[in-house]
């Protein structure tokens, strides 16, 4: 199942902007927003559900087991798994993990593994084994959060600042200080919308953002806008659910 399907508007713009940006860089960033080109970590599941990430955040999918060692070996290939579990494995997984059904990592078994990579998937051939038979394996893949076994849980909305002064500063560190225990250790997403109805997503306002990152928070600086003013935004964070 797609884990994020319930989220109507996700504007998880992820920038790791630690240093102040020059004006021309801000302009090129905003130009890239409007064209919305494919970029590393870009996930498009539905038109209204787009997540941009310059630093893809990865986590593990569910475990998959589509085969057993009879007839030649245990084949948990990506092509087969994708047919059997459509939409559950991302296009370019960053990693693969294989264990026996009882949880022993593949490299801790006696088996000689023919393939275990993110292009093919996993193959153990019976003919490569001393005793003529592979263990039964399960595999999982490292993918962006919409594919992860842990669901996304959203925090409350936070609005700690307003645009007066230098801008609207909704940094994660300040929000954490002012909302103890309410924001997880490592958020996967950040969503920013205008504070007031109709709650326009930040990326649709045309403003330039100094910071927009699930690990750092959100900042709109007045000096980065041609109008020299920012709208007032509120933010929330998408965290792995704790169950
Ligand atoms: Ca298997
Ligand atoms: Ca302010
Ligand atoms: Ca605000």
């Amino acid at each position: 199942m797609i884990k994020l399907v319930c989220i109507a508007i996700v504007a998880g713009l992820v920038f790791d902007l630690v240093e102040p940006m020059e004006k021309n860089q801000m302009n090129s960033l905003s130009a890239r927003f409007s064209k919305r080109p494919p970029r590393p970590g870009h996930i498009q599941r539905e038109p209204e559900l787009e997540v941009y990430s310059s630093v893809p955040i990865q986590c593990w999918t569910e475990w998959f087991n589509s085969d057993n060692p009879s007839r030649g070996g245990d084949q948990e290939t990506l092509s087969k798994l994708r047919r059997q579990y459509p939409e559950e494995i991302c296009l370019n997984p960053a990693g693969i993990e294989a264990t026996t059904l009882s949880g022993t990592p593949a490299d801790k078994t006696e088996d000689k593994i023919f393939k275990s990579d993110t292009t093919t998937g996993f193959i153990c051939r019976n003919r490569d084994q001393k005793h003529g038979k592979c263990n039964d394996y399960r595999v999982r893949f490292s993918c962006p959060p919409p594919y992860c076994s842990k669901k996304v849980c959203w925090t409350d909305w936070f609005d700690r600042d307003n645009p007066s002064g230098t801008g609207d500063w909704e940094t994660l560190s300040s929000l954490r200080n002012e909302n103890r225990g309410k924001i997880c250790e490592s958020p996967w997403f950040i969503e920013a919308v205008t504070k007031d109805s109709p709650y326009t997503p930040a990326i649709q306002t045309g403003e330039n953002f100094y910071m927009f990152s699930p690990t750092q928070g959100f900042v709109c600086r007045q000096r980065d806008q041609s109008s020299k003013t920012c709208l007032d935004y509120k933010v929330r964070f998408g965290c792995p659910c704790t169950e």
Side-chain angles (χ1 to χ4, degrees):
M1 276 301 296
I2 302 166
K3 300 292 164 38
L4 274 189
V5 129
C6 56
I7 299 155
I9 40 163
V10 174
L13 268 168
V14 185
F15 287 147
D16 279 316
L17 305 180
V18 183
E19 298 299 321
M21 296 187 77
E22 295 302 320
K23 185 72 182 162
N24 60 349
Q25 286 177 293
M26 294 306 300
N27 285 342
S28 78
L29 264 184
S30 79
R32 280 193 281 151
F33 285 163
S34 52
K35 285 184 202 151
R36 297 195 168 183
R39 29 190 292 160
H42 175 224
I43 308 153
Q44 185 164 5
R45 305 304 300 259
E46 297 174 15
E48 76 274 25
L49 194 152
E50 295 190 22
V51 176
Y52 292 79
S53 173
S54 57
V55 182
I57 297 170
Q58 306 284 335
C59 45
W60 291 107
T61 62
E62 305 278 3
W63 290 100
F64 301 104
N65 178 25
S66 65
D67 194 21
N68 63 46
S70 63
R71 281 181 298 161
D74 194 23
Q75 298 213 12
E76 306 291 349
T77 59
L78 270 165
S79 57
K80 196 161 78 174
L81 291 170
R82 285 209 169 95
R83 274 199 305 277
Q84 192 165 340
Y85 304 97
E87 299 284 299
E88 291 194 40
I89 304 167
C90 58
L91 204 55
N92 296 302
I96 179 172
E97 190 175 32
T99 74
T100 64
L101 295 190
S102 56
T104 308
D107 60 4
K108 296 284 189 304
T109 67
E110 304 265 281
D111 290 352
K112 184 167 177 284
I113 307 302
F114 178 62
K115 263 195 165 66
S116 184
D117 61 49
T118 54
T119 315
T120 308
F122 178 90
I123 300 174
C124 181
R125 301 189 304 193
N126 287 341
R127 67 169 190 255
D128 295 333
Q129 314 311 322
K130 263 188 289 188
H131 306 295
K133 189 148 195 200
C134 292
N135 283 291
D136 194 354
Y137 291 90
R138 59 182 187 172
V139 294
R140 62 179 183 174
F141 298 91
S142 184
C143 284
Y147 297 90
C148 295
S149 59
K150 279 200 169 175
K151 289 182 181 157
V152 175
C153 284
W154 290 92
T155 64
D156 294 335
W157 287 99
F158 300 109
D159 174 32
R160 61 168 298 279
D161 195 21
N162 61 48
S164 63
T166 56
D168 195 23
W169 293 74
E170 308 288 350
T171 62
L172 182 54
S173 56
S174 302
L175 288 167
R176 272 224 175 89
N177 282 336
E178 295 164 25
N179 300 277
R180 293 274 175 198
K182 296 227 173 129
I183 306 171
C184 63
E185 196 69 37
S186 306
W188 283 338
F189 298 107
I190 181 172
E191 186 177 10
V193 300
T194 54
K195 186 192 155 198
D196 298 312
S197 177
Y199 312 119
T200 310
I203 44 165
Q204 289 173 20
T205 63
E207 296 195 332
N208 298 310
F209 306 114
Y210 174 62
M211 183 187 289
F212 201 163
S213 151
T215 54
Q216 294 181 63
F218 175 90
V219 175
C220 182
R221 296 192 308 188
Q222 296 191 344
R223 61 189 275 197
D224 298 322
Q225 319 309 321
S226 51
S227 64
K228 300 295 171 206
T229 60
C230 286
L231 294 164
D232 194 1
Y233 294 92
K234 60 181 180 179
V235 299
R236 64 176 184 170
F237 296 89
C239 290
C241 297
T242 49
E243 255 104 35

